[in-house]
Amino acid sequence: MSNTTSLHNSTASNCTFSRDERNTILLATGGTAMCSVLCCVFALGTVVFLRLYNHFIYRLAMYQVLASLSLSFSEGLVLMLYNYDGSEMYYKVTCKTTAFLLEYTSWLKLSFTNWLTFHLFAYVVFFKNLKRLEWLYISSSVLG
């Protein structure tokens, strides 16, 4: 087994990292993501403890935190590749799962951000409370 990891299978790419460089990148990315997960869990705990979820605007903020939690958790999954042992099957499944979750949760976060921006814009500019569209915010973001 070689001491470098190639990013691409194509022969045109010469981008390789040593095992130490790869592990450093994985630890930095995964460690930051896990810190973010802890912050999101604390924020959700605070919302539940103070019962702020009864107010619509706090629920919108809570949806943002949930989307951030799912995105951070997905980014934290790269830590599973830290002790990569060379098993192609494990690597393929883990990479594909992580890639799918990262892509999905990134769009989920973007969608919730767009809906929150739309709602706040309508509320501030047109003085319209679109609370009745909450089901649309959630369903279009999650099903995406």
Side-chain angles (χ1 to χ4, degrees):
M1 186 165 104
S2 82
N3 197 21
T4 60
T5 305
S6 178
L7 285 181
H8 304 288
N9 286 336
S10 87
T11 57
S13 175
N14 291 331
C15 184
T16 57
F17 293 111
S18 70
R19 186 175 185 89
D20 290 336
E21 290 171 334
R22 178 182 62 101
N23 288 343
T24 302
I25 293 169
L26 290 175
L27 281 177
T29 304
T32 305
M34 288 300 117
C35 289
S36 181
V37 165
L38 291 175
C39 290
C40 290
V41 168
F42 176 75
L44 285 175
T46 302
V47 167
V48 170
F49 179 73
L50 297 176
R51 294 190 178 124
L52 297 174
Y53 52 83
N54 293 328
H55 303 287
F56 178 67
I57 197 68
Y58 288 113
R59 273 199 311 274
L60 288 178
M62 189 176 69
Y63 298 146
Q64 280 290 329
V65 172
L66 284 170
S68 294
L69 178 66
S70 62
L71 180 61
S72 298
F73 181 74
S74 298
E75 289 173 352
L77 288 177
V78 300
L79 288 174
M80 293 190 319
L81 298 172
Y82 183 75
N83 287 324
Y84 170 61
D85 61 352
S87 169
E88 278 298 315
M89 185 60 181
Y90 172 76
Y91 187 72
K92 284 182 182 178
V93 170
T94 305
C95 277
K96 287 182 180 182
T97 303
T98 303
F100 170 75
L101 287 174
L102 280 171
E103 187 73 23
Y104 177 74
T105 56
S106 295
W107 282 106
L108 179 76
K109 176 70 174 149
L110 180 65
S111 182
F112 273 121
T113 302
N114 287 337
W115 279 119
L116 179 64
T117 303
F118 169 74
H119 177 79
L120 292 175
F121 178 77
Y123 187 75
V124 169
V125 174
F126 301 114
F127 304 109
K128 297 270 185 185
N129 189 356
L130 302 174
K131 187 176 181 178
R132 64 186 178 275
L133 296 178
E134 182 177 5
W135 66 272
L136 178 66
Y137 297 168
I138 296 170
S139 61
S140 66
S141 295
V142 172
L143 299 176

